[in-house]
Amino acid sequence: MEKILLDVLTKNGLLTGFAVIGLTMILSYWLSSRFTRGKLHGSAIAIMLGLALAYVSGLFTGGQKGVADVPLLTGVGLLGGAMIRDFAITATAFGVHFQEIRKAGLSGVVSLLVGVVLSFVIGAAVAAAFGYTDAVSMATIGAGAVTYIVGPVTGAAIGASSDVMALSIAAGLVKAILVMIASPFFAPRIGLDNPRTAMVFGGMMGTTSGVCGALAAIDPKLVPYGAMTSTFYTGLGCLMGPSVLFLATQAMVG
């Protein structure tokens, strides 16, 4: 009986994935209301549980895809893939009010430029502090601090080594996780509770996955606003990383 049940769950991986995610969300919201009285949103707890499960799964399976490396939970990998992620972001766009987007105006544009340049400078400075002092390495790792997509795009364009590009991806992933987990705690203090600040937040932080996860924990209605500017942020980073920012770095360090 047990073998039959496992076979059915394994062969219907996507449905099993939906069930596991649903049970995780129920548990997370129960923990939120039972132990934090709703102060820590259930979505934030679900994200932390997901990261912990991915880590534990990696230890036991030796794989690189988190819980998706467990045969019974391969469907979770599809749910977490780019296709479903982009579909979810597109679906939330139906909740966007364009009058709110226009209110962002100049502040939205400025947040994009400041966010990209500031993240690049911090990433390049950290790279230099750890001994990566040549322009190619500094620009690639700095671009990785913009997002983990911009890093390899920049590295491939300017001829960085695979090791440096891997570091750039790691820098972007660390940033995404920090944004996802820490932002809900600081949201009340920085006024992150309306569409305009959500767009500025998306433009400053950039990482789409981190911004969407954080805003889902704060208020799901804010996700499309942050997702929109963070998507622009990634595109702007891919344009500036291998061109303006790399040339500026080369001019400074030779």
Side-chain angles (χ1 to χ4, degrees), residues 152-242:
V153 168
T154 300
I158 62 179
S161 68
S162 57
D163 291 343
V164 171
M165 283 196 277
L167 286 175
S168 74
I169 295 172
L173 286 174
V174 170
K175 176 185 174 181
I177 293 171
L178 287 176
V179 169
M180 190 183 301
I181 293 178
S183 298
F185 294 99
F186 297 101
R189 297 182 181 179
I190 61 177
L192 185 55
D193 57 3
N194 60 77
R196 183 172 183 176
T197 54
M199 282 187 280
V200 173
F201 175 72
M204 288 294 294
M205 297 294 106
T207 167
T208 305
S209 53
V211 166
C212 291
L215 292 177
I218 297 165
D219 183 352
K221 293 180 182 177
L222 300 179
V223 171
Y225 299 102
M228 180 181 61
T229 48
S230 61
T231 302
F232 280 124
Y233 175 104
T234 300
L236 183 63
C238 288
L239 290 174
M240 294 180 65

Side-chain angles (χ1 to χ4, degrees), residues 124 127-138 249 253-254:
F130 280 88
Y132 294 91
T133 54
D134 60 289
V136 171
S137 297
M138 287 178 66
T249 305
V253 301

Side-chain angles (χ1 to χ4, degrees), residues 50-62:
L51 292 174
L53 288 174
Y55 177 75
V56 173
S57 299
L59 288 180
F60 281 98
T61 65

Side-chain angles (χ1 to χ4, degrees), residues 64-147:
Q64 300 178 337
K65 298 179 182 178
V67 296
D69 286 318
V70 180
L72 185 64
L73 301 175
T74 52
V76 177
L78 181 58
L79 283 175
M83 182 181 70
I84 300 295
R85 180 201 63 197
D86 294 343
F87 175 76
I89 292 173
T90 303
T92 60
F94 283 98
V96 168
H97 297 286
F98 285 99
Q99 61 269 30
E100 299 291 350
I101 294 176
R102 282 187 293 185
K103 288 179 183 177
L106 182 62
S107 59
V109 176
V110 172
S111 69
L112 283 173
L113 292 172
V114 172
V116 171
V117 174
L118 184 60
S119 296
F120 181 88
V121 170
I122 292 174
V126 172
F130 280 88
Y132 294 91
T133 54
D134 60 289
V136 171
S137 297
M138 287 178 66
T140 302
I141 297 174
V146 176
T147 77

